[in-house]
Amino acid sequence: MSDMTHTAAKPRAERSATASMTYAIFLTTGLILLLLAPLFFYPIFLMKLLCFALFACAFNLLLGYTGLLSFGHATFFGGAAYFTAHVVKEWGFPPELGVLTGVVGAALLGLVMGYVAIRRQGIYFAMITLALSQMFFFFCLQAEFTKGEDGIQSVPRGHLFGFIDLSQSTNMYYFVLAVFLIGMVVIWRFINSPFGMILKSIRENEARATSLGYSVARYKLGAFVMSAALAGLAGGVKALVFQFATLTDVAWQMSGEVILMTLLGGIGTLIGPIFGAGLVVTLQNYLATSDFPVTIITGVVFMVCVLLFRRGLIGEFYASRLGRKLGFEHRR
Amino acid sequence: MTMIFGIPLQAFLGQLLIGLINGSFYAMLSLGLAVIFGLLRVINFAHGAQYMLGAFAAMLMLQYFGINYWFALILAPIVVGLFGAFIERTMLSRLYNLDPLYGLLFTFGLALTIEGTFRYLYGSSGQPYAVPAQLAGGTNLGFMFLPIYRGWVVVVSLVACIGTWLLIEKTKLGSYLRAATENPVLVQAFGVNVPVLLTLTYGIGAGLAAFAGVLAAPIYQVSPLMGSNIIIVVFAVVVVGGMGSIMGAIVTGYMLGIAEGLTKVFYPEASNIVIFVIMAIVLLLRPAGLFGRDA
């Protein structure tokens, strides 16, 4: 699995001063851009982008930092969307509790799917997650509460903490942004925690991690549940943004899409998936008006990425001359 | 009317036959996947797309060139097999030294591209393909009515599966294939051209999928989505069977097809998911799969 991803990041202390500088500059610029973005772009588009960016980062937590390729992440994203939409619409939950329900639901689904799937490795893991996620798709197709082909429609956004009106798109945007940032901080903390370090060691050399006495299966399951919960966070918020939850979110194509976003942006880089998600969402938006099917482009981009840029955009940038000059680690 | 477990015998046997038919396709497709995986270490996600290409090739050959079912049954697999060999030679072969997951991702992209193209050209709705005149109609077996074409599919798929098995287990070419599965470097050192063997294997695998596609054309509608609908189920079949053994893939394919058919009789709501449930149970009890060796 080790050649799927890049070498682990160096401990923070060893990082050069230029790198910290560059990180700080990039981070600040990014934050300012995100805060000002609604002045320039259509808020729904931005919110969609943030949701998918968080989804892709959650997915990357598993692929990039643990080395597990899940082909079933639509289950957590779409499942959480259904849970959130259901409790908000039918039970009158406030938005924050609704999203929380989505997260908890996704984590539970992740626990079940992970428990079954971690019994096999590599390619089998991918196939098992795909099959289980297809099972969940059929469940959603037939279950009562998902409303079948129609999906759960016109979900109210409600008032955050009882007083912030989320039907206002500016309020909603800053809510989504806050969730996105919280999600990113959680991911960042997670991969730099001792737990995250053990995950990386499993990715690099599973046998050795086992021989050091780590219960590899338990760590993998932990990472799987974490990734599922964060994907659920993205899905739950997405249900509030679009005010509906449908079968599209749980279909296997969605699992493929999130893989593409991560691959395109850079597997195993913290911010790569954000860019990957941005590109894919922009492309879909752009093509939505034409009758040319997105699938063809998605498929071709997949093939090109796998053949030519396996490091992804951000990975290639880090490895490029400019990237190295700016102090990023030179990766394979 | 005879009843079995409270179900009319006719309905029971009818669903059993449908299960057997589905099982035939699962068996042929998982067999191809297992053969390709055995040698190339690639999970061919495009297998479903190649199956769909087979069905489309048969339909288009009939529409534009008047080539009938019987010739299509031979020509379509050859065309799709050549296409597969071309893909393997030009692109897939560059990925062998990498993690096997890249092969999966590449063939996933290939499947999306093929499916998207056909959806763009022919729409997502299915188109009918007539049963060849020689196999039209049905026969009354006394206890049930058997459409002749369905009986033909079951027989031909069995022949194809056993034929492939014999090819791999009993011929010289098969022995090269098996040897290259175990140790490609050594086999190459003995003067066998392993890269050609790999191309051939992928071509044969794709051809086999296309063959199944032509067989399927008169039963299911010819639609761009027919491949992705079946491939995920076939993945589950492969996980249950374990890819270690060719015979395992075949037997599991038929077994799960029948299990699915029977579920339709007793608890129709679960028929879509029964194979996945079986997969989960098998994983919990025997993680290596029914016929698999621990990888």
Side-chain angles (χ1 to χ4, degrees), chain B residues 200-234:
Chain B
L200 195 68
T201 306
Y202 192 76
I204 291 175
L208 200 61
F211 182 77
V214 182
L215 280 180
I219 295 186
Y220 311 116
Q221 302 239 303
V222 179
S223 123
L225 304 177
M226 63 194 284
S228 54
N229 288 341
I230 201 168
I231 191 67
I232 302 177
V233 178
V234 173

PDB file of all heavy atoms in Angstrom, chain B residues 200-234:
ATOM      1  N   LEU B 200      -2.857 -11.132 -23.838  1.00  0.00           N
ATOM      2  CA  LEU B 200      -3.763 -12.190 -24.266  1.00  0.00           C
ATOM      3  C   LEU B 200      -4.808 -12.460 -23.180  1.00  0.00           C
ATOM      4  O   LEU B 200      -6.004 -12.586 -23.459  1.00  0.00           O
ATOM      5  CB  LEU B 200      -2.946 -13.454 -24.534  1.00  0.00           C
ATOM      6  CG  LEU B 200      -3.631 -14.563 -25.305  1.00  0.00           C
ATOM      7  CD1 LEU B 200      -3.877 -14.109 -26.724  1.00  0.00           C
ATOM      8  CD2 LEU B 200      -2.768 -15.820 -25.292  1.00  0.00           C
ATOM      9  N   THR B 201      -4.343 -12.520 -21.948  1.00  0.00           N
ATOM     10  CA  THR B 201      -5.258 -12.808 -20.843  1.00  0.00           C
ATOM     11  C   THR B 201      -6.320 -11.731 -20.721  1.00  0.00           C
ATOM     12  O   THR B 201      -7.506 -12.025 -20.586  1.00  0.00           O
ATOM     13  CB  THR B 201      -4.485 -12.878 -19.514  1.00  0.00           C
ATOM     14  OG1 THR B 201      -3.435 -13.805 -19.671  1.00  0.00           O
ATOM     15  CG2 THR B 201      -5.382 -13.315 -18.387  1.00  0.00           C
ATOM     16  N   TYR B 202      -5.882 -10.479 -20.793  1.00  0.00           N
ATOM     17  CA  TYR B 202      -6.860  -9.403 -20.657  1.00  0.00           C
ATOM     18  C   TYR B 202      -7.841  -9.450 -21.823  1.00  0.00           C
ATOM     19  O   TYR B 202      -9.045  -9.276 -21.656  1.00  0.00           O
ATOM     20  CB  TYR B 202      -6.177  -8.038 -20.569  1.00  0.00           C
ATOM     21  CG  TYR B 202      -7.128  -6.952 -20.135  1.00  0.00           C
ATOM     22  CD1 TYR B 202      -7.507  -6.848 -18.799  1.00  0.00           C
ATOM     23  CD2 TYR B 202      -7.678  -6.064 -21.048  1.00  0.00           C
ATOM     24  CE1 TYR B 202      -8.406  -5.881 -18.384  1.00  0.00           C
ATOM     25  CE2 TYR B 202      -8.577  -5.093 -20.651  1.00  0.00           C
ATOM     26  CZ  TYR B 202      -8.930  -5.007 -19.318  1.00  0.00           C
ATOM     27  OH  TYR B 202      -9.832  -4.044 -18.909  1.00  0.00           O
ATOM     28  N   GLY B 203      -7.294  -9.717 -23.026  1.00  0.00           N
ATOM     29  CA  GLY B 203      -8.158  -9.819 -24.207  1.00  0.00           C
ATOM     30  C   GLY B 203      -9.180 -10.929 -24.044  1.00  0.00           C
ATOM     31  O   GLY B 203     -10.367 -10.746 -24.315  1.00  0.00           O
ATOM     32  N   ILE B 204      -8.723 -12.098 -23.573  1.00  0.00           N
ATOM     33  CA  ILE B 204      -9.637 -13.226 -23.394  1.00  0.00           C
ATOM     34  C   ILE B 204     -10.687 -12.886 -22.339  1.00  0.00           C
ATOM     35  O   ILE B 204     -11.877 -13.161 -22.516  1.00  0.00           O
ATOM     36  CB  ILE B 204      -8.867 -14.506 -22.985  1.00  0.00           C
ATOM     37  CG1 ILE B 204      -8.021 -14.997 -24.157  1.00  0.00           C
ATOM     38  CG2 ILE B 204      -9.830 -15.603 -22.551  1.00  0.00           C
ATOM     39  CD1 ILE B 204      -7.140 -16.180 -23.826  1.00  0.00           C
ATOM     40  N   GLY B 205     -10.241 -12.256 -21.248  1.00  0.00           N
ATOM     41  CA  GLY B 205     -11.186 -11.877 -20.188  1.00  0.00           C
ATOM     42  C   GLY B 205     -12.248 -10.938 -20.725  1.00  0.00           C
ATOM     43  O   GLY B 205     -13.452 -11.137 -20.491  1.00  0.00           O
ATOM     44  N   ALA B 206     -11.814  -9.920 -21.482  1.00  0.00           N
ATOM     45  CA  ALA B 206     -12.764  -8.963 -22.047  1.00  0.00           C
ATOM     46  C   ALA B 206     -13.690  -9.668 -23.040  1.00  0.00           C
ATOM     47  O   ALA B 206     -14.899  -9.416 -23.078  1.00  0.00           O
ATOM     48  CB  ALA B 206     -12.019  -7.824 -22.728  1.00  0.00           C
ATOM     49  N   GLY B 207     -13.111 -10.578 -23.825  1.00  0.00           N
ATOM     50  CA  GLY B 207     -13.904 -11.320 -24.806  1.00  0.00           C
ATOM     51  C   GLY B 207     -14.968 -12.164 -24.123  1.00  0.00           C
ATOM     52  O   GLY B 207     -16.114 -12.242 -24.576  1.00  0.00           O
ATOM     53  N   LEU B 208     -14.590 -12.779 -23.023  1.00  0.00           N
ATOM     54  CA  LEU B 208     -15.533 -13.612 -22.276  1.00  0.00           C
ATOM     55  C   LEU B 208     -16.688 -12.769 -21.747  1.00  0.00           C
ATOM     56  O   LEU B 208     -17.857 -13.186 -21.788  1.00  0.00           O
ATOM     57  CB  LEU B 208     -14.792 -14.275 -21.112  1.00  0.00           C
ATOM     58  CG  LEU B 208     -15.413 -15.510 -20.492  1.00  0.00           C
ATOM     59  CD1 LEU B 208     -15.535 -16.613 -21.512  1.00  0.00           C
ATOM     60  CD2 LEU B 208     -14.571 -15.980 -19.314  1.00  0.00           C
ATOM     61  N   ALA B 209     -16.348 -11.556 -21.269  1.00  0.00           N
ATOM     62  CA  ALA B 209     -17.397 -10.657 -20.790  1.00  0.00           C
ATOM     63  C   ALA B 209     -18.328 -10.298 -21.944  1.00  0.00           C
ATOM     64  O   ALA B 209     -19.557 -10.272 -21.791  1.00  0.00           O
ATOM     65  CB  ALA B 209     -16.788  -9.395 -20.183  1.00  0.00           C
ATOM     66  N   ALA B 210     -17.755 -10.025 -23.126  1.00  0.00           N
ATOM     67  CA  ALA B 210     -18.564  -9.664 -24.281  1.00  0.00           C
ATOM     68  C   ALA B 210     -19.444 -10.831 -24.710  1.00  0.00           C
ATOM     69  O   ALA B 210     -20.603 -10.650 -25.098  1.00  0.00           O
ATOM     70  CB  ALA B 210     -17.659  -9.235 -25.435  1.00  0.00           C
ATOM     71  N   PHE B 211     -18.900 -12.044 -24.611  1.00  0.00           N
ATOM     72  CA  PHE B 211     -19.665 -13.240 -24.950  1.00  0.00           C
ATOM     73  C   PHE B 211     -20.896 -13.324 -24.052  1.00  0.00           C
ATOM     74  O   PHE B 211     -22.025 -13.558 -24.517  1.00  0.00           O
ATOM     75  CB  PHE B 211     -18.761 -14.472 -24.762  1.00  0.00           C
ATOM     76  CG  PHE B 211     -19.407 -15.776 -25.110  1.00  0.00           C
ATOM     77  CD1 PHE B 211     -19.571 -16.157 -26.439  1.00  0.00           C
ATOM     78  CD2 PHE B 211     -19.828 -16.639 -24.113  1.00  0.00           C
ATOM     79  CE1 PHE B 211     -20.168 -17.359 -26.755  1.00  0.00           C
ATOM     80  CE2 PHE B 211     -20.430 -17.851 -24.419  1.00  0.00           C
ATOM     81  CZ  PHE B 211     -20.595 -18.215 -25.750  1.00  0.00           C
ATOM     82  N   ALA B 212     -20.678 -13.097 -22.756  1.00  0.00           N
ATOM     83  CA  ALA B 212     -21.808 -13.083 -21.821  1.00  0.00           C
ATOM     84  C   ALA B 212     -22.791 -11.993 -22.214  1.00  0.00           C
ATOM     85  O   ALA B 212     -24.010 -12.171 -22.124  1.00  0.00           O
ATOM     86  CB  ALA B 212     -21.307 -12.865 -20.394  1.00  0.00           C
ATOM     87  N   GLY B 213     -22.257 -10.860 -22.679  1.00  0.00           N
ATOM     88  CA  GLY B 213     -23.114  -9.749 -23.088  1.00  0.00           C
ATOM     89  C   GLY B 213     -24.012 -10.116 -24.255  1.00  0.00           C
ATOM     90  O   GLY B 213     -25.199  -9.792 -24.264  1.00  0.00           O
ATOM     91  N   VAL B 214     -23.450 -10.820 -25.252  1.00  0.00           N
ATOM     92  CA  VAL B 214     -24.266 -11.224 -26.402  1.00  0.00           C
ATOM     93  C   VAL B 214     -25.349 -12.198 -25.946  1.00  0.00           C
ATOM     94  O   VAL B 214     -26.517 -12.086 -26.336  1.00  0.00           O
ATOM     95  CB  VAL B 214     -23.399 -11.883 -27.496  1.00  0.00           C
ATOM     96  CG1 VAL B 214     -24.263 -12.249 -28.685  1.00  0.00           C
ATOM     97  CG2 VAL B 214     -22.282 -10.971 -27.914  1.00  0.00           C
ATOM     98  N   LEU B 215     -24.972 -13.135 -25.078  1.00  0.00           N
ATOM     99  CA  LEU B 215     -25.963 -14.085 -24.559  1.00  0.00           C
ATOM    100  C   LEU B 215     -27.072 -13.347 -23.817  1.00  0.00           C
ATOM    101  O   LEU B 215     -28.231 -13.739 -23.866  1.00  0.00           O
ATOM    102  CB  LEU B 215     -25.298 -15.059 -23.585  1.00  0.00           C
ATOM    103  CG  LEU B 215     -24.517 -16.229 -24.169  1.00  0.00           C
ATOM    104  CD1 LEU B 215     -23.948 -17.062 -23.036  1.00  0.00           C
ATOM    105  CD2 LEU B 215     -25.401 -17.092 -25.050  1.00  0.00           C
ATOM    106  N   ALA B 216     -26.680 -12.252 -23.119  1.00  0.00           N
ATOM    107  CA  ALA B 216     -27.653 -11.538 -22.289  1.00  0.00           C
ATOM    108  C   ALA B 216     -28.579 -10.667 -23.120  1.00  0.00           C
ATOM    109  O   ALA B 216     -29.697 -10.375 -22.697  1.00  0.00           O
ATOM    110  CB  ALA B 216     -26.924 -10.680 -21.259  1.00  0.00           C
ATOM    111  N   ALA B 217     -28.112 -10.247 -24.319  1.00  0.00           N
ATOM    112  CA  ALA B 217     -28.864  -9.259 -25.100  1.00  0.00           C
ATOM    113  C   ALA B 217     -30.343  -9.618 -25.284  1.00  0.00           C
ATOM    114  O   ALA B 217     -31.205  -8.771 -25.063  1.00  0.00           O
ATOM    115  CB  ALA B 217     -28.177  -9.027 -26.444  1.00  0.00           C
ATOM    116  N   PRO B 218     -30.688 -10.856 -25.672  1.00  0.00           N
ATOM    117  CA  PRO B 218     -32.118 -11.150 -25.855  1.00  0.00           C
ATOM    118  C   PRO B 218     -32.891 -11.278 -24.545  1.00  0.00           C
ATOM    119  O   PRO B 218     -34.116 -11.229 -24.560  1.00  0.00           O
ATOM    120  CB  PRO B 218     -32.108 -12.498 -26.588  1.00  0.00           C
ATOM    121  CG  PRO B 218     -30.744 -12.640 -27.137  1.00  0.00           C
ATOM    122  CD  PRO B 218     -29.853 -11.958 -26.161  1.00  0.00           C
ATOM    123  N   ILE B 219     -32.208 -11.461 -23.424  1.00  0.00           N
ATOM    124  CA  ILE B 219     -32.923 -11.668 -22.158  1.00  0.00           C
ATOM    125  C   ILE B 219     -33.185 -10.346 -21.460  1.00  0.00           C
ATOM    126  O   ILE B 219     -34.307 -10.020 -21.104  1.00  0.00           O
ATOM    127  CB  ILE B 219     -32.116 -12.584 -21.222  1.00  0.00           C
ATOM    128  CG1 ILE B 219     -32.015 -13.967 -21.842  1.00  0.00           C
ATOM    129  CG2 ILE B 219     -32.794 -12.671 -19.861  1.00  0.00           C
ATOM    130  CD1 ILE B 219     -31.375 -14.980 -20.941  1.00  0.00           C
ATOM    131  N   TYR B 220     -32.107  -9.606 -21.229  1.00  0.00           N
ATOM    132  CA  TYR B 220     -32.263  -8.283 -20.642  1.00  0.00           C
ATOM    133  C   TYR B 220     -32.262  -7.320 -21.818  1.00  0.00           C
ATOM    134  O   TYR B 220     -31.836  -7.646 -22.904  1.00  0.00           O
ATOM    135  CB  TYR B 220     -31.095  -7.968 -19.702  1.00  0.00           C
ATOM    136  CG  TYR B 220     -30.798  -9.062 -18.705  1.00  0.00           C
ATOM    137  CD1 TYR B 220     -29.586  -9.740 -18.737  1.00  0.00           C
ATOM    138  CD2 TYR B 220     -31.727  -9.421 -17.746  1.00  0.00           C
ATOM    139  CE1 TYR B 220     -29.309 -10.750 -17.828  1.00  0.00           C
ATOM    140  CE2 TYR B 220     -31.458 -10.424 -16.837  1.00  0.00           C
ATOM    141  CZ  TYR B 220     -30.255 -11.083 -16.875  1.00  0.00           C
ATOM    142  OH  TYR B 220     -29.997 -12.084 -15.989  1.00  0.00           O
ATOM    143  N   GLN B 221     -32.700  -6.100 -21.574  1.00  0.00           N
ATOM    144  CA  GLN B 221     -32.630  -5.115 -22.642  1.00  0.00           C
ATOM    145  C   GLN B 221     -31.186  -4.679 -22.833  1.00  0.00           C
ATOM    146  O   GLN B 221     -30.409  -4.696 -21.887  1.00  0.00           O
ATOM    147  CB  GLN B 221     -33.467  -3.917 -22.243  1.00  0.00           C
ATOM    148  CG  GLN B 221     -34.894  -4.295 -21.982  1.00  0.00           C
ATOM    149  CD  GLN B 221     -35.842  -3.558 -22.882  1.00  0.00           C
ATOM    150  OE1 GLN B 221     -35.849  -2.352 -22.899  1.00  0.00           O
ATOM    151  NE2 GLN B 221     -36.616  -4.280 -23.637  1.00  0.00           N
ATOM    152  N   VAL B 222     -30.859  -4.302 -24.062  1.00  0.00           N
ATOM    153  CA  VAL B 222     -29.507  -3.808 -24.316  1.00  0.00           C
ATOM    154  C   VAL B 222     -29.464  -2.348 -23.885  1.00  0.00           C
ATOM    155  O   VAL B 222     -30.056  -1.495 -24.533  1.00  0.00           O
ATOM    156  CB  VAL B 222     -29.151  -3.923 -25.809  1.00  0.00           C
ATOM    157  CG1 VAL B 222     -27.755  -3.395 -26.050  1.00  0.00           C
ATOM    158  CG2 VAL B 222     -29.274  -5.362 -26.247  1.00  0.00           C
ATOM    159  N   SER B 223     -28.783  -2.083 -22.779  1.00  0.00           N
ATOM    160  CA  SER B 223     -28.761  -0.714 -22.275  1.00  0.00           C
ATOM    161  C   SER B 223     -27.368  -0.364 -21.782  1.00  0.00           C
ATOM    162  O   SER B 223     -26.629  -1.234 -21.320  1.00  0.00           O
ATOM    163  CB  SER B 223     -29.782  -0.569 -21.143  1.00  0.00           C
ATOM    164  OG  SER B 223     -29.169  -0.119 -19.976  1.00  0.00           O
ATOM    165  N   PRO B 224     -26.979   0.911 -21.904  1.00  0.00           N
ATOM    166  CA  PRO B 224     -25.634   1.300 -21.461  1.00  0.00           C
ATOM    167  C   PRO B 224     -25.404   1.028 -19.983  1.00  0.00           C
ATOM    168  O   PRO B 224     -24.276   0.929 -19.539  1.00  0.00           O
ATOM    169  CB  PRO B 224     -25.597   2.803 -21.725  1.00  0.00           C
ATOM    170  CG  PRO B 224     -26.639   3.047 -22.732  1.00  0.00           C
ATOM    171  CD  PRO B 224     -27.701   2.030 -22.502  1.00  0.00           C
ATOM    172  N   LEU B 225     -26.508   0.922 -19.203  1.00  0.00           N
ATOM    173  CA  LEU B 225     -26.351   0.761 -17.765  1.00  0.00           C
ATOM    174  C   LEU B 225     -26.264  -0.698 -17.334  1.00  0.00           C
ATOM    175  O   LEU B 225     -26.048  -0.996 -16.164  1.00  0.00           O
ATOM    176  CB  LEU B 225     -27.533   1.412 -17.041  1.00  0.00           C
ATOM    177  CG  LEU B 225     -27.743   2.883 -17.370  1.00  0.00           C
ATOM    178  CD1 LEU B 225     -28.962   3.423 -16.669  1.00  0.00           C
ATOM    179  CD2 LEU B 225     -26.512   3.682 -16.948  1.00  0.00           C
ATOM    180  N   MET B 226     -26.441  -1.630 -18.297  1.00  0.00           N
ATOM    181  CA  MET B 226     -26.508  -3.035 -17.890  1.00  0.00           C
ATOM    182  C   MET B 226     -25.204  -3.516 -17.247  1.00  0.00           C
ATOM    183  O   MET B 226     -25.222  -4.384 -16.384  1.00  0.00           O
ATOM    184  CB  MET B 226     -26.893  -3.930 -19.072  1.00  0.00           C
ATOM    185  CG  MET B 226     -25.902  -3.948 -20.213  1.00  0.00           C
ATOM    186  SD  MET B 226     -26.597  -4.683 -21.715  1.00  0.00           S
ATOM    187  CE  MET B 226     -26.579  -6.429 -21.329  1.00  0.00           C
ATOM    188  N   GLY B 227     -24.099  -2.879 -17.648  1.00  0.00           N
ATOM    189  CA  GLY B 227     -22.822  -3.316 -17.103  1.00  0.00           C
ATOM    190  C   GLY B 227     -22.615  -2.915 -15.664  1.00  0.00           C
ATOM    191  O   GLY B 227     -22.250  -3.732 -14.826  1.00  0.00           O
ATOM    192  N   SER B 228     -22.888  -1.633 -15.359  1.00  0.00           N
ATOM    193  CA  SER B 228     -22.603  -1.193 -13.988  1.00  0.00           C
ATOM    194  C   SER B 228     -23.597  -1.808 -13.019  1.00  0.00           C
ATOM    195  O   SER B 228     -23.307  -1.968 -11.844  1.00  0.00           O
ATOM    196  CB  SER B 228     -22.591   0.326 -13.889  1.00  0.00           C
ATOM    197  OG  SER B 228     -23.773   0.854 -14.383  1.00  0.00           O
ATOM    198  N   ASN B 229     -24.790  -2.164 -13.515  1.00  0.00           N
ATOM    199  CA  ASN B 229     -25.737  -2.813 -12.613  1.00  0.00           C
ATOM    200  C   ASN B 229     -25.239  -4.175 -12.157  1.00  0.00           C
ATOM    201  O   ASN B 229     -25.483  -4.591 -11.037  1.00  0.00           O
ATOM    202  CB  ASN B 229     -27.092  -3.002 -13.308  1.00  0.00           C
ATOM    203  CG  ASN B 229     -27.817  -1.685 -13.462  1.00  0.00           C
ATOM    204  OD1 ASN B 229     -27.497  -0.727 -12.768  1.00  0.00           O
ATOM    205  ND2 ASN B 229     -28.762  -1.620 -14.368  1.00  0.00           N
ATOM    206  N   ILE B 230     -24.568  -4.869 -13.061  1.00  0.00           N
ATOM    207  CA  ILE B 230     -24.193  -6.239 -12.734  1.00  0.00           C
ATOM    208  C   ILE B 230     -22.814  -6.319 -12.080  1.00  0.00           C
ATOM    209  O   ILE B 230     -22.558  -7.192 -11.255  1.00  0.00           O
ATOM    210  CB  ILE B 230     -24.273  -7.135 -14.000  1.00  0.00           C
ATOM    211  CG1 ILE B 230     -24.406  -8.608 -13.604  1.00  0.00           C
ATOM    212  CG2 ILE B 230     -23.082  -6.935 -14.897  1.00  0.00           C
ATOM    213  CD1 ILE B 230     -24.775  -9.514 -14.743  1.00  0.00           C
ATOM    214  N   ILE B 231     -21.939  -5.364 -12.395  1.00  0.00           N
ATOM    215  CA  ILE B 231     -20.538  -5.547 -11.972  1.00  0.00           C
ATOM    216  C   ILE B 231     -20.382  -5.538 -10.451  1.00  0.00           C
ATOM    217  O   ILE B 231     -19.572  -6.276  -9.893  1.00  0.00           O
ATOM    218  CB  ILE B 231     -19.615  -4.497 -12.641  1.00  0.00           C
ATOM    219  CG1 ILE B 231     -18.144  -4.853 -12.417  1.00  0.00           C
ATOM    220  CG2 ILE B 231     -19.855  -3.100 -12.112  1.00  0.00           C
ATOM    221  CD1 ILE B 231     -17.705  -6.096 -13.101  1.00  0.00           C
ATOM    222  N   ILE B 232     -21.207  -4.729  -9.763  1.00  0.00           N
ATOM    223  CA  ILE B 232     -21.058  -4.654  -8.310  1.00  0.00           C
ATOM    224  C   ILE B 232     -21.480  -5.973  -7.672  1.00  0.00           C
ATOM    225  O   ILE B 232     -20.842  -6.467  -6.741  1.00  0.00           O
ATOM    226  CB  ILE B 232     -21.853  -3.465  -7.753  1.00  0.00           C
ATOM    227  CG1 ILE B 232     -21.358  -2.184  -8.423  1.00  0.00           C
ATOM    228  CG2 ILE B 232     -21.706  -3.362  -6.254  1.00  0.00           C
ATOM    229  CD1 ILE B 232     -22.098  -0.946  -8.026  1.00  0.00           C
ATOM    230  N   VAL B 233     -22.545  -6.565  -8.217  1.00  0.00           N
ATOM    231  CA  VAL B 233     -22.963  -7.882  -7.722  1.00  0.00           C
ATOM    232  C   VAL B 233     -21.851  -8.903  -7.981  1.00  0.00           C
ATOM    233  O   VAL B 233     -21.538  -9.733  -7.120  1.00  0.00           O
ATOM    234  CB  VAL B 233     -24.269  -8.320  -8.417  1.00  0.00           C
ATOM    235  CG1 VAL B 233     -24.679  -9.690  -7.940  1.00  0.00           C
ATOM    236  CG2 VAL B 233     -25.368  -7.322  -8.153  1.00  0.00           C
ATOM    237  N   VAL B 234     -21.257  -8.814  -9.159  1.00  0.00           N
ATOM    238  CA  VAL B 234     -20.192  -9.768  -9.486  1.00  0.00           C
ATOM    239  C   VAL B 234     -18.994  -9.590  -8.541  1.00  0.00           C
ATOM    240  O   VAL B 234     -18.363 -10.568  -8.145  1.00  0.00           O
ATOM    241  CB  VAL B 234     -19.777  -9.617 -10.962  1.00  0.00           C
ATOM    242  CG1 VAL B 234     -18.568 -10.463 -11.283  1.00  0.00           C
ATOM    243  CG2 VAL B 234     -20.924 -10.014 -11.862  1.00  0.00           C
TER     244      VAL B 234
END
